[in-house]
């Protein structure tokens, strides 16, 4: 804190146009705050505390009063734009630190010095300005504001057109600033540390109020850049505009058309090589096809990849048409941002046309299922090649196959909504090992990883801490699932299934689980131990019990899916589709079990209350 951020009684008297004795009276009756310390015999007040008191802020929170934006005094001259930058916000838990656009105006208005902060929701991190408003404001204040400014500035959050609503939005955001009651020792420390390091204002309990662009213009005395075309309010565009380059030029491809066309081209090239009988030429990842009848297998693979291409094409067609319409439509933000739309080249257009003409009759449930199986097989094979640095590593093809998989799953669901997809196992680390986990470990065969399973091993290792990797062993359970275990640290990673068990569990099997492990096991009477599958139709797969929440609901759905009978196993019933009362019974069971005690449930007992027919 610097000296110009502190008031003595003489400065306060001058600020108010009263005597020093009157200042003492205002302090005694609570209209002004108590001094925070002394410098020699001189009493000192935090300037921000005095200004908040004079502004009529809430004395319990330090929250500034909200002005009437239609009548607030406009500055005689436009406020000066002192800060215009993209700011990285620390202390927020994302894979990459989020970014916000920060603009700060300063200048005289209505006899005081006005500071206005406008922070904007960039395309790169839209939600940050609401969900972490306190972190955003602290980051801005720490870099650009003194203590007095931090507590007295007007803060506005800005959402551009298109997200989350078609029209742009501006919110005035007020924060509470709880006052610290400290003596001279704190003051001396702050004076030694300097103003930037000593900023101690806390932004608490944000409150939002809608503000119109005209009202913000009145506050600033000028109209800031707000009318960005949808999806163009990016860090790159803001940087260009701050440098005075207007309009900013943006390569515009929010639908990822360029990447999708690259995937389509790569899959087509591989398919053409297979159709030409070149399935074993050097460098071609014809993995899984090098058999005695390799050419026949190649033809089947080519057929499957044709369907995968057909699944990828619609998104590219929609994006191409969307860009064409946008290019032909005048946007009010054009003077601010020039959008350069990605356009397919002639060869890419020919590919889109070719696969669009594939007859819909070729998209039968069986054909799509075969295509999905082929795509997954090749994806796993390529992942293994990448992990082992094999000669057939092909990251572009792997990316294209990974893009095709969810599209094929979507088509198959449209063709048969009741068909259960096999999303593959879900890698999971287990941190609480007790009786259930030890029973499972006793059934593991400790060898591996097998040839072709390097990618599975890598996926499981990614769920362990680095300290647990030294001395880890690899094995397989009786159902072929990979397991990693460190006997020294106790770390355990498993592949949790999301498909029905190969055979129904016998009535004398038991479901067992340990509090905190998020995974349930099935102890079979023949000595094997299975992992209880979760229902793949729901995104959550962590199992807990003993309270009303997502974990116990996931557990109830898993019991319905894996333990109760289904008339047609190809189309298992959901929890809600089971016999009337089943959902209530299972949910009551999983929410009422003792939350912090190990769990044991007999499979037969779960079935006894289940009617024969749903």
């Amino acid at each position: 804190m610097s000296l110009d951020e502190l008031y003595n009684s003489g400065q306060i008297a001058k600020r108010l146009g009263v005597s020093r004795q009157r200042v003492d009276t205002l302090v005694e009756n609570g209209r002004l705050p108590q001094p925070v310390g002394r410098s020699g015999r001189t009493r000192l007040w935090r300037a921000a505390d005095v200004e908040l008191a004079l502004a009529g802020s809430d004395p319990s929170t330090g929250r500034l009063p909200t002005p009437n934006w239609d009548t607030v005094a406009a500055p005689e001259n436009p406020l000066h734009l002192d800060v215009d930058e993209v700011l990285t916000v620390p202390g927020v838990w994302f894979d990459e630190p989020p970014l916000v656009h920060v603009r700060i105006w300063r200048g005289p208005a209505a006899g005081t010095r006005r500071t206005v902060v406008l922070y904007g929701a960039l395309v790169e991190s839209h939600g940050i300005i609401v969900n972490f408003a306190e972190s955003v404001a602290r980051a801005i204040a720490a870099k650009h504001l003194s203590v007095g400014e931090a507590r007295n500035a007007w803060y506005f959050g800005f959402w551009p057109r298109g997200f989350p609503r078609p029209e742009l939005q501006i919110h005035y955001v007020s924060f509470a600033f709880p006052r610290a009651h400290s003596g001279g020792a704190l003051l001396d420390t702050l004076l030694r540390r300097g103003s930037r390091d000593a900023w101690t204002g806390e932004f608490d309990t944000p409150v939002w109020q809608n503000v119109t662009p005209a009202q913000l213009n009145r506050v600033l005395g000028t109209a800031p850049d707000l009318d960005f075309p949808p999806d163009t309010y990016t860090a790159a565009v803001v940087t260009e505009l701050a440098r005075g380059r207007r309009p900013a030029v943006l390569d515009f491809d929010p639908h990822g058309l360029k990447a999708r066309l690259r995937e389509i081209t790569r899959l087509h090239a591989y398919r053409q090589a297979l159709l030409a009988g070149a399935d074993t030429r050097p460098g071609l990842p014809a993995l899984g096809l090098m058999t005695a009848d390799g050419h026949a297998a190649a033809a089947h693979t080519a057929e499957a990849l044709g369907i995968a291409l057909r699944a990828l094409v619609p998104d590219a067609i929609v994006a191409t048409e969307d860009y064409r319409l946008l290019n032909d439509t005048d946007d009010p933000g054009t003077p601010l941002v020039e959008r350069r739309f990605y356009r397919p080249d002639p060869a890419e257009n020919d590919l889109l046309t070719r696969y669009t003409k594939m007859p819909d009759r070729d998209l039968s449930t069986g054909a799509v299922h075969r295509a999905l199986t082929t795509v997954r097989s090749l994806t796993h094979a390529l992942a293994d090649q990448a992990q082992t640095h094999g000669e057939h590593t092909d990251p572009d093809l792997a990316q294209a196959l990974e893009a095709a998989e969810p599209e094929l799953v979507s088509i198959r669901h449209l063709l048969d909504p009741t068909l259960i997809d096999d999303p593959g196992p879900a890698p999971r680390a287990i941190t609480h090992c007790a009786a259930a986990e030890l029973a499972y470990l006793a059934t593991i065969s400790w060898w591996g990883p097998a040839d072709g399973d390097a990618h599975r091993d890598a996926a499981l290792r990614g769920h362990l801490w680095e300290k647990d990797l030294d001395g880890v062993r690899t094995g397989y359970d009786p159902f072929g699932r990979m397991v990693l275990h460190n006997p020294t640290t106790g770390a355990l990673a498993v592949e949790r299934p999301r498909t029905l068990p190969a055979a129904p569990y016998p009535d004398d099997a038991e479901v067992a689980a340990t509090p905190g492990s998020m995974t349930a096991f099935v102890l079979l009477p023949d000595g094997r131990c299975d992992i209880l599958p979760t229902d793949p139709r729901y995104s959550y797969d962590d199992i807990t019990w003993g309270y009303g929440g997502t974990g116990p609901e996931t557990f109830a759905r898993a019991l319905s899916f894996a333990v109760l009978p289904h008339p047609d196993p190809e189309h298992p019933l959901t929890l809600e589709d089971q016999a009337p009362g089943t959902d209530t019974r299972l949910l009551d069971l999983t929410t009422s079990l003792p939350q912090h005690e190990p769990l044991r449930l007999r499979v037969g007992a779960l079935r006894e209350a289940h009617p024969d027919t749903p």
Side-chain angles (χ1 to χ4, degrees):
M1 183 177 290
S2 60
L3 287 174
D4 63 353
E5 292 166 355
L6 298 171
Y7 286 160
N8 59 32
S9 59
Q11 290 170 312
I12 297 175
K14 183 177 180 180
R15 168 77 173 79
L16 298 177
V18 299
S19 66
R20 294 192 182 190
Q21 289 77 13
R22 178 59 179 164
V23 170
D24 292 339
T25 301
L26 293 174
V27 171
E28 290 174 3
N29 63 26
R31 294 182 62 185
L32 286 177
Q34 293 292 323
V36 294
R38 293 177 178 272
S39 178
R41 298 180 63 182
T42 302
R43 293 177 299 167
L44 295 174
W45 284 259
R46 190 179 286 113
D49 287 349
V50 173
E51 294 299 335
L52 283 171
L54 297 178
S57 61
D58 184 335
S60 65
T61 67
R63 187 187 299 276
L64 283 171
T66 301
N68 182 329
W69 303 113
D70 290 322
T71 60
V72 67
E76 297 177 2
N77 297 301
L79 302 184
H80 184 262
L81 179 62
D82 291 330
V83 176
D84 187 0
E85 68 174 24
V86 174
L87 178 67
T88 300
V89 180
V92 179
W93 187 259
F94 285 130
D95 291 337
E96 297 181 6
L99 306 173
V100 293
H101 178 206
V102 178
R103 286 175 276 186
I104 300 177
W105 290 264
R106 295 181 174 98
T112 64
R113 180 173 174 79
R114 180 175 295 174
T115 300
V116 180
V117 178
L118 177 67
Y119 56 90
L122 293 170
V123 169
E124 291 90 339
S125 49
H126 274 303
I128 180 70
I129 72 166
V130 170
N131 296 334
F132 298 92
E134 302 93 326
S135 298
V136 172
R138 289 183 188 119
I140 295 170
K143 184 173 182 181
H144 295 295
L145 304 177
S146 68
V147 173
E149 279 189 309
R151 288 176 172 248
N152 290 282
W154 286 338
Y155 297 86
F156 296 89
F158 163 58
W159 297 80
R161 273 192 292 131
F163 189 93
R165 296 177 181 173
E167 68 280 1
L168 66 86
Q169 299 176 79
I170 307 170
H171 294 143
Y172 168 66
V173 191
S174 66
F175 298 93
F177 294 92
R179 291 193 177 88
H181 299 284
S182 303
L186 172 63
L187 179 63
D188 292 341
T189 301
L190 296 179
L191 288 171
R192 287 196 301 269
R193 288 170 57 190
S195 62
R196 286 290 175 262
D197 292 338
W199 181 78
T200 56
E202 287 294 328
F203 291 83
D204 288 339
T205 322
V207 175
W208 290 267
Q209 178 196 34
N210 288 330
V211 175
T212 67
Q215 290 171 330
L216 179 63
N217 296 349
R218 180 183 182 89
V219 169
L220 299 174
T222 186
D225 292 334
L226 297 175
D227 207 6
F228 293 81
D231 297 313
T232 67
Y233 189 44
T234 67
V237 165
V238 165
T239 301
E240 289 293 292
L241 292 173
R243 291 171 179 168
R245 299 172 183 171
R246 290 171 180 263
V249 177
L250 176 65
D251 290 331
F252 192 70
D253 188 14
H255 297 316
L257 176 60
K258 183 178 181 179
R260 178 50 52 93
L261 290 170
R262 185 170 60 246
E263 294 157 359
I264 290 172
T265 301
R266 184 67 191 93
L267 276 183
H268 173 72
Y270 182 38
R271 181 171 183 260
Q272 289 300 102
L274 294 174
L275 290 173
D279 55 291
T280 58
R281 71 171 171 80
L284 182 72
L287 304 165
L289 304 178
M290 298 178 184
T291 60
D293 58 346
H295 291 289
H300 290 310
T301 302
E303 176 188 5
L305 294 183
I307 294 174
L309 281 160
R310 178 67 170 80
L312 286 173
V313 162
D315 277 353
I317 294 289
V318 169
T320 301
E321 180 63 16
D322 187 32
Y323 291 173
R324 186 189 67 78
L325 292 173
L326 288 172
N327 190 55
D328 294 341
T329 303
D330 291 333
D331 188 281
T334 299
L336 204 58
V337 182
E338 177 188 339
R339 295 175 290 181
R340 293 182 176 176
F341 299 90
Y342 185 81
R343 298 181 179 180
D345 61 32
E348 291 169 336
N349 269 323
D350 289 343
L351 279 181
L352 294 179
T353 301
R354 173 175 179 169
Y355 286 102
T356 301
K357 292 181 178 179
M358 177 182 287
D360 287 342
R361 65 176 178 272
D362 292 345
L363 297 177
S364 65
T365 303
V368 172
H369 177 75
R370 290 192 299 273
L372 180 59
T373 302
T374 299
V375 163
R376 283 176 170 163
S377 176
L378 284 172
T379 299
H380 292 160
L382 285 171
D384 199 69
Q385 287 284 294
Q387 288 296 327
T388 58
H389 305 288
E391 62 176 317
H392 298 303
T393 300
D394 190 332
D396 290 337
L397 180 60
Q399 181 178 337
L401 292 166
E402 289 172 1
E405 180 180 356
E407 301 299 333
L408 289 168
V409 169
S410 178
I411 291 175
R412 195 175 74 165
H413 180 73
L414 289 173
L415 294 171
D416 187 350
T418 63
L419 190 63
I420 296 296
D421 179 51
D422 178 3
R428 175 73 194 192
I430 297 176
T431 57
H432 298 76
C433 292
E437 289 72 28
L438 295 176
Y440 180 68
L441 286 170
T443 70
I444 308 303
S445 177
W446 296 110
W447 65 276
D451 292 341
D453 277 348
H455 63 289
R456 294 172 65 188
D457 185 66
L460 279 178
R461 286 174 180 269
H463 287 262
L464 295 177
W465 294 103
E466 187 174 349
K467 66 179 178 62
D468 296 320
L469 295 176
D470 187 19
V472 74
R473 56 179 176 170
T474 304
Y476 292 87
D477 72 9
F479 303 92
R481 302 188 194 98
M482 184 178 284
V483 181
L484 296 185
H485 179 238
N486 189 319
T488 302
T489 66
L492 174 64
V494 300
E495 293 179 330
R496 295 199 303 200
R498 291 182 286 179
T499 55
L500 287 174
Y505 297 132
D507 285 347
D508 51 353
E510 287 186 312
V511 177
T514 300
S517 77
M518 308 292 181
T519 304
F521 299 87
V522 181
L523 310 178
L524 300 172
D526 60 9
R528 294 179 300 162
C529 185
D530 196 5
I531 301 174
L532 181 72
T534 54
D535 193 329
R537 292 166 291 196
Y538 303 93
S539 57
Y540 296 103
D541 59 2
D542 282 346
I543 286 176
T544 55
W545 58 89
Y547 63 98
T550 302
E553 180 185 343
T554 299
F555 192 11
R557 293 189 183 281
L559 294 175
S560 169
F561 177 69
V563 174
L564 299 186
H566 301 281
D568 180 3
E570 290 266 339
H571 306 82
L573 300 170
T574 66
L575 177 61
E576 289 77 11
D577 290 336
Q578 292 278 9
T582 301
D583 53 349
T584 301
R585 178 172 60 85
L586 288 180
L587 286 169
D588 286 347
L589 173 68
T590 58
T591 58
S592 62
L593 292 165
Q595 182 177 358
H596 303 293
E597 296 182 14
L599 176 146
R600 281 287 182 105
L601 298 172
R602 192 172 67 87
V603 167
L606 292 169
R607 292 174 178 157
E608 286 170 2
H610 182 70
D612 293 335
T613 56

